[in-house]
Amino acid sequence: MEIKRISHWIDGKPWVGVTERSGDVFDPATGAVTGRVDFAAQSEVDLAVSAAARAFPGWRDTSLAARANVLFAFRELLNARKKELAEIITAEHGKVLDDAAGEIQRALEAVEFACGIPHLLKGGFSENVSRRVDVYSIRQPLGVVGVISPFNFPAMVPLWFVPNAIACGNSVVLKPSEKDPSASNWVAELWAEAGLPDGVLNVLHGDKVAVDGLLTHPTVRAISFVGSTPIARYVYETGTRNGKRVQALGGAKNHMVVLPDADLDLAADAAVSAGFGSAGERCMAISVVVAVGDAGDPLVDKIGERMSRLHVGDGRRGCDMGPLVTAAHRDRVTSYVDAGLAAGATLAVDGRDVPIDGSPDGFWLGPTLFDHVRPEMSIYTDEIFGPVLSVVRVPTYEAAVDLVNANPWGNGTAIFTNDGGAARRYQNEIEVGMVGVNVPIPVPVGYYSFGGWKDSLFGDTHAYGPDGIHFFTRTKVVTSRWLDPSHGGVNLGFPRHD
Ligand code: NAD
């Protein structure tokens, strides 16, 4: 089988890398190497940033109507050709086709939001703040911005940022994950087809060298990063030390609290869907079910029964759950099954030996459930990022809240209950950025913003939606006096308007 070379997209065209360094790209369902992605050298970081810098002045002065037209055209193209993109995602990430289609649908929301850019960029205006003096505020683009994305949403996460960034008039260098890089090249070509001028969006593939190159490049003004917490912290600290605006979204450990009065069938459906969708490789996956009081035994039975019906295999064959992204990641996740057993948790469902509808060489691990997990166990303390779900049992609602709030992550959480008062109290007391009430994966719609608290996000601005517009612009306030100015003479006092 031919191994394709995956290289950069710079200044509106493919750019074949000059460096000797590259990484293997796999089809996770077969284990085969299908591609080799070039890793950028510093000289290529410079090239991509220069292309973006050259494109910036023309793009920032392009009319809002013309920019919106490009966004509308891109939206139409993406919607028409989303099946192609879903196939690319499944071939390199492994998630089932239906799930890949879902990721694109959520990406479309972010594009559709940015189509409203003429309205979103409106400033404020105050007439006559003083005699014949007006004040107005405008939002201007930053310049060249960097977007660095993780493997688990190869289309959606870049498209959380790129539409808003370019709609605001910035130019972008995108550094996608090296594990599933092809989606970004496909999307870049689509932007070109939609009429985006050369250089406004560049795709630079690579590893730490490319990331560090962007973080320290004097021309890059801002960085949007999504990935694991240690790298997010590093990106935030390095980027801000180099004078950049940074939003760095990190990892997660999302708890789903189930109160005894909840609809346990609904809760069990939700736990299985949110725990094992995309093989647990979602930053909003439920990885811990917190069973309160009497909810524990029936809930674990119901979850186990649903898990036994899951069909694991090649994402192109209509299965429920696909493989993990690489063999190394599968081995790391599997090591937590051993760790959980060694720590004394009850292995209620063992995913290591499930029947697979696919090649034996794929990177498989079936859905796994641990019961009676305690907070000091590594299966609780670490982000596993795979199909391993833990049940922690607590006696009361208060103990559940204490557990969630003591966790260093605060990305998403959910409460399942039929008690409106308990749900309202939970949304008020819980220290987490996104909360679901009888909804297990509360990813906000595109016209709100996405972001966690604590170790799940470094920086003060969330992703996409209104926060995205805020992040990719800076405000300027103009105080102006025109025609027939009053001549008050020289006055060294501080300007005042009373
Ligand atoms: P990762 O941190 O390994 O990689 C993310 C990006 O950082 C990639 O582009 C990668 O090339 C780059 N990178 C990796 N190591 C680096 C280093 N040493 N120095 C500089 N850059 C480096 O994350 P991943 O495995 O691709 O993605 C999974 C992680 O992302 C999980 O922790 C998940 O929770 C998180 N995630 C978070 C969100 C969110 O919104 N909070 C969304 C999706 C994924």
Side-chain angles (χ1 to χ4, degrees), residues 310 312 321 349-357 364-368:
L310 291 180
V312 181
M321 195 186 105
V349 180
D350 187 349
R352 290 174 295 184
D353 217 10
V354 297
I356 300 296
D357 183 1
W364 309 110
L365 175 65
T368 299

Side-chain angles (χ1 to χ4, degrees), residues 311-322:
H311 182 197
V312 181
D314 191 316
R316 292 159 288 223
R317 297 190 188 176
C319 303
D320 298 309
M321 195 186 105

Side-chain angles (χ1 to χ4, degrees), residues 366-411:
T368 299
L369 181 68
F370 274 111
D371 193 7
H372 300 290
V373 173
R374 290 192 310 275
E376 67 277 10
M377 295 176 178
S378 65
I379 52 173
Y380 178 80
T381 55
D382 297 2
E383 182 185 37
I384 300 176
F385 219 57
V388 179
L389 183 62
S390 293
V391 177
V392 178
R393 297 184 182 225
V394 296
T396 59
Y397 164 86
E398 286 77 11
V401 170
D402 288 348
L403 179 80
V404 179
N405 283 349
N407 193 280
W409 281 295
N411 211 41

